[in-house]
Amino acid sequence: MNHPLPPETSDRPLAPGQRLAHSPRATLSADCVREIEALATKYPEKLAATLPALYLAQADLGFAGLEAMKEVARVLDIPEGHVFGVATFYTMFHQKPVGKFHMQVCTNLCCALRGGAKLFEKLCARLAVKPGEVSPDGMWSVEEVECLGSCGSGPCLQVNHEVYDEFLDTARLDAVISACRQGNVPVWGK
Amino acid sequence: MGQIRTKPDSQIYTFEGFGTDKFPNFMLRGAGNLRNWHIHNYEQRHEGYEGLRKALKMEPTAVTGEVKASGLRGRGGAGFPTGLKWTFMPKDSDERKHTRYVVCNADEGEPGTFKDRAIMEYNPHQLIEGMIIAGWAMQCKQGFIYVRGEFKWLVDKLDAAIQEARDAGYLGKNILGTGWDFDLLTYRGAGAYICGEETALLNSMEGRRGEPRVKPPFPATKGAYGQPTTVNNVETLASVPVILRIGGAAYAAIGTPNNTGTRIFGVSGHVKRPGLYELPLGTPMDFLVNDLAGGCSTGRKIKAIIPGGCSAPMLDAADFDCPMDFDAMKARGTMAGSGGVIVMDEDVCIVEAVLRLTRFYAHESCGQCTPCREGCNWLEMVLHRIEHGEGKPGDLELIASLTPRINLRTLCPLGDAACGPIDSALQKFRHEFEHHIEHKTCFVKGAKLTSAMGVH
Ligand SMILES: Cc1cc2nc3c(=O)[nH]c(=O)nc-3n(C[C@H](O)[C@H](O)[C@H](O)COP(=O)(O)O)c2cc1C
Ligand code: SF4
Ligand code: FES
């Protein structure tokens, strides 16, 4: 069962699943389980519920780590390997925790032509986080993402799932950051 | 249900003369008005569901015939004739009828493309109506709308619009008294550009990894859940109600022969008024870029234009007069693609621009076939070293020997798409690459396009 794993060494590599981060809670909330069970019959085949179920599990446990994957497989009664394969294929399933405000900046060409890459660096500096890391207070994480479908109004920034900010300049950037600080932006998972 | 966005949108959707006979407004009705999406607006102000009422009085094959007569070609990228595609669906026994699917490709992720999002934001019912008509023409019982994961608020909006349509009797059992049942379901992706490829989309929609399938079998034979399926782009499907309403022949009279109707062009990059402009096919590109979008925003000259989403080979000044339609673009060695026009001024470093696009393809490659998975990474590495002053003599020959080994040698067109920008840039802006290799520095003084911090 859950024996603590020895540290990974070059001659004792861990399996990919063993490298996954653990969430503080091992099981999904009862509500989340109910919602996933309802998904199982929504589509022509049960397997199709994998993606929506992973979204729910990710919101419930904070990120799509080992426990989230195992729980999705258990509730839907589908192979764990399948869930692992799916969860690691898509960039919107995060295998590590993200900040309360996960800031995603498009730096693809159209946005870059209007300063996307610079804004991304500015954002990292302003929040004092490095890409792929979470700030020590758990508030912020930043990610460079590919085209968000706002090329005409770039550069653009998406905060968690909900807010989408376009025509981003330094002033807008500050406004978004303070909106987050003041609690006017839904936090991750909500 | 989640929160439906109410934030005002300052993007440009219109221009002087838009909505007249010369520049009909079929696809962007009410764009910019975030309350426009409700069914009563669509029915009362935009002749909504008239096309469906007409279609349901016709034989399904006659509906397909009307779409064929309109000459409509797919707006998703390849420009395949839509009516013809619909006839590939098997026309046989009853039991197969129950499980044919029509799928809408709303995975819009091609850099430079932002039109489908506007249709779903402002006119979701036009898409829904188009899907119902397509469902009737192909006698499906179920349709799916596959939306990219980042557009969560649009999934919520589509769900709400679908419910409105259900309440109005356009969806569900016995639609408008015809005895025909049809319903729609949305499915949300999770951040993978490759899921825009139609067979990858089907895999993703079945809850699998979004890896393109080997073809044949084509989706019309074996698509979603192993059943006959037709996949069409949002804009393609949203054009269908217009065709039924005004008639295939009237639609075919717009644009140029073989490239009929209007489409939404998205202009981005260095222009004064970036935005979405709906124009008849065959409109010259400089009219769009200079007259409508206001020309270069930086006061400098325009150096290069990518005319159809970032997978389209780029054009230089010699070709800025190109008519924007599928055939003319092809004749100039590029493609009309998804209608996303990316404008770059003369201070843009082409090497860096191509590096950024190649990084995108290397990141988005699904990894199934070796030429694409390894090739895109190699291309990125070689371009990276050229851009950063570490290029070696012979690097350009190396690139030129790599792309033919990727192009047309992969399972899906992503590999080809990755080669388009590089090959065209090497052909048209070779001196910039050579300057980089020789002088270890940039040819131009424009702002950096890539960040040194990014971790992909
Ligand atoms: C890598 C790749 C990405 C694609 N992305 C999209 C997309 O985001 N949206 C879309 O409609 N078609 C996309 N396509 C094209 C589809 O495979 C397909 O041709 C299209 O959905 C057909 O619809 P249409 O006939 O209405 O154009 C993509 C193709 C490839 C190879
Ligand atoms: S060409 Fe690239 S994206 Fe397409 S199937 Fe092959 S590896 Fe996947
Ligand atoms: S390139 Fe940034 S949103 Fe499309």
Side-chain angles (χ1 to χ4, degrees):
Chain A
M1 290 291 293
N2 284 327
H3 301 298
L5 288 164
E8 182 169 19
T9 58
S10 54
D11 48 314
R12 276 185 50 90
L14 296 178
Q18 293 173 321
R19 288 200 198 107
L20 288 171
H22 291 269
S23 31
R25 188 149 49 88
T27 52
L28 298 173
S29 68
D31 280 348
C32 185
V33 169
R34 253 193 308 278
E35 280 179 76
I36 293 180
E37 279 166 353
L39 283 174
T41 52
K42 184 171 171 190
Y43 306 99
E45 281 174 12
K46 190 171 64 174
L47 210 60
T50 312
L51 270 74
L54 273 166
Y55 272 125
L56 290 174
Q58 166 165 274
D60 193 47
L61 295 177
F63 62 101
L66 185 65
E67 287 77 11
M69 296 181 199
K70 277 183 181 274
E71 283 288 274
V72 166
R74 179 182 67 82
V75 178
L76 289 176
D77 191 22
I78 53 178
E80 287 182 357
H82 168 80
V83 180
F84 178 83
V86 170
T88 50
F89 184 85
Y90 297 96
T91 54
M92 288 181 71
F93 299 127
H94 293 270
Q95 270 99 70
K96 285 189 308 190
V98 295
K100 243 167 130 174
F101 300 104
H102 184 54
M103 322 283 275
Q104 301 146 78
V105 185
C106 171
T107 60
N108 210 310
L109 185 60
C110 313
C111 289
L113 289 170
R114 308 172 125 252
K118 273 222 200 84
L119 269 162
F120 176 69
E121 290 177 354
K122 213 168 270 174
L123 182 68
C124 293
R126 205 146 295 187
L127 301 175
V129 274
K130 289 204 191 79
E133 291 177 4
V134 182
S135 64
D137 58 0
M139 283 280 278
W140 313 101
S141 53
V142 290
E143 186 185 8
E144 193 179 0
V145 295
E146 299 297 356
C147 180
L148 289 170
S150 306
C151 323
S153 44
C156 74
L157 159 74
Q158 189 177 347
V159 186
N160 298 340
H161 290 319
E162 302 281 340
V163 180
Y164 219 78
D165 256 285
E166 296 144 31
F167 292 115
L168 204 65
D169 50 19
T170 327
R172 282 294 297 147
L173 195 66
D174 287 337
V176 176
I177 294 173
S178 54
C180 291
R181 286 218 168 94
Q182 284 157 17
N184 294 333
V185 175
V187 297
W188 175 255
K190 290 284 163 318
Chain B
M1 202 183 72
Q3 172 192 343
I4 288 173
R5 192 171 86 134
T6 50
K7 192 164 74 76
D9 181 337
S10 43
Q11 180 136 342
I12 293 170
Y13 299 101
T14 183
F15 55 90
E16 213 183 308
F18 187 42
T20 58
D21 283 348
K22 192 165 174 222
F23 297 114
N25 177 357
F26 291 144
M27 312 302 296
L28 289 173
R29 295 216 172 165
N33 171 4
L34 278 164
R35 275 190 300 252
N36 188 63
W37 67 276
H38 289 289
I39 194 163
H40 57 88
N41 285 331
Y42 185 54
E43 285 180 325
Q44 287 158 20
R45 294 211 234 146
H46 310 306
E47 296 140 290
Y49 291 103
E50 268 181 30
L52 175 65
R53 285 174 199 279
K54 268 196 191 164
L56 291 180
K57 293 197 186 95
M58 295 158 67
E59 283 295 315
T61 47
V63 175
T64 308
E66 203 64 35
V67 175
K68 261 188 168 170
S70 76
L72 177 67
R73 293 173 69 169
R75 307 297 196 227
F80 194 83
T82 306
L84 185 61
K85 194 183 220 176
W86 290 7
T87 62
F88 295 158
M89 292 286 269
K91 302 164 196 56
D92 50 23
S93 66
D94 273 336
E95 77 229 62
R96 293 197 78 175
K97 270 187 190 171
H98 295 292
T99 44
R100 299 154 186 241
Y101 298 117
V102 53
V103 176
C104 171
N105 185 343
D107 190 61
E108 186 164 70
E110 172 107 348
T113 317
F114 47 107
K115 63 190 174 68
D116 297 344
R117 173 184 164 185
I119 295 175
M120 294 186 282
E121 182 93 86
Y122 301 112
N123 271 317
H125 282 287
Q126 193 168 334
L127 168 62
I128 292 168
E129 184 183 357
M131 289 203 70
I132 306 173
I133 297 172
W136 172 251
M138 292 177 273
Q139 287 293 295
C140 308
K141 301 267 173 207
Q142 178 74 51
F144 295 95
I145 308 180
Y146 181 97
V147 189
R148 64 177 293 183
E150 288 85 347
F151 290 171
K152 180 171 182 293
W153 85 93
L154 287 180
V155 179
D156 295 338
K157 189 175 239 179
L158 282 167
D159 283 339
I162 288 170
Q163 190 53 46
E164 284 184 344
R166 224 176 260 141
D167 294 342
Y170 297 123
L171 278 176
K173 297 249 175 285
N174 188 16
I175 294 169
L176 301 182
T178 52
W180 171 63
D181 309 336
F182 182 74
D183 216 330
L184 284 176
L185 214 48
T186 52
Y187 198 87
R188 185 169 158 229
Y193 164 67
I194 190 58
C195 292
E197 199 281 335
E198 55 186 11
T199 56
L201 181 150
L202 297 175
N203 269 342
S204 179
M205 214 175 75
E206 292 177 10
R208 303 170 200 277
R209 294 161 67 90
E211 288 162 344
R213 298 175 180 172
V214 180
K215 284 162 278 185
F218 289 93
T221 326
K222 202 162 176 287
Y225 308 102
Q227 305 299 328
T229 304
T230 295
V231 184
N232 275 130
N233 171 257
V234 174
E235 195 186 350
T236 312
L237 287 163
S239 304
V240 170
V242 179
I243 292 167
L244 267 291
R245 198 178 72 230
I246 68 172
Y251 192 84
I254 303 163
T256 59
N258 204 29
N259 292 274
T260 57
T262 62
R263 82 179 293 185
I264 307 175
F265 293 96
V267 193
S268 59
H270 290 146
V271 286
K272 289 203 183 92
R273 290 191 294 277
L276 292 172
Y277 299 93
E278 181 184 348
L279 292 168
L281 285 182
T283 307
M285 195 158 66
D286 45 16
F287 175 72
L288 171 69
V289 170
N290 291 319
D291 295 277
L292 301 184
C296 193
S297 56
T298 58
R300 288 181 285 266
K301 275 216 276 283
I302 295 174
K303 177 156 79 178
I305 296 183
I306 300 180
C310 75
S311 305
M314 49 180 81
L315 298 173
D316 60 12
D319 283 317
F320 290 169
D321 60 332
C322 184
M324 292 183 298
D325 65 42
F326 296 101
D327 298 331
M329 288 284 179
K330 198 163 172 217
R332 306 261 184 138
T334 182
M335 59 183 202
S338 60
V341 178
I342 309 169
V343 178
M344 294 181 267
D345 79 0
E346 57 186 354
D347 269 7
V348 172
C349 172
I350 294 289
V351 183
E352 198 178 16
V354 172
L355 167 65
R356 183 62 189 90
L357 290 179
T358 307
R359 206 171 95 197
F360 167 70
Y361 291 111
H363 178 245
E364 298 296 337
S365 165
C366 82
Q368 268 192 120
C369 21
T370 315
C372 167
R373 181 189 62 238
E374 303 298 324
C376 291
N377 275 323
W378 273 105
L379 286 172
E380 187 196 339
M381 281 190 264
V382 177
L383 285 167
H384 189 273
R385 80 173 177 231
I386 297 177
E387 166 64 21
H388 290 86
E390 289 151 18
K392 300 182 191 135
D395 272 356
L396 298 188
E397 289 70 26
L398 180 61
I399 293 177
S401 75
L402 264 172
T403 53
R405 293 194 163 90
I406 304 172
N407 206 357
L408 303 177
R409 281 176 164 66
T410 51
L411 251 179
C412 90
L414 187 131
D416 317 347
C419 299
I422 305 185
D423 282 340
S424 58
L426 267 183
Q427 191 193 341
K428 289 170 180 143
F429 304 99
R430 194 179 177 90
H431 54 286
E432 293 200 22
F433 291 83
E434 285 167 348
H435 188 278
H436 258 281
I437 294 176
E438 208 170 300
H439 301 277
K440 315 278 175 218
T441 165
C442 215
F443 186 75
V444 293
K445 297 196 181 47
K448 291 291 285 176
L449 296 176
T450 50
S451 133
M453 305 183 66
V455 281
H456 254 333

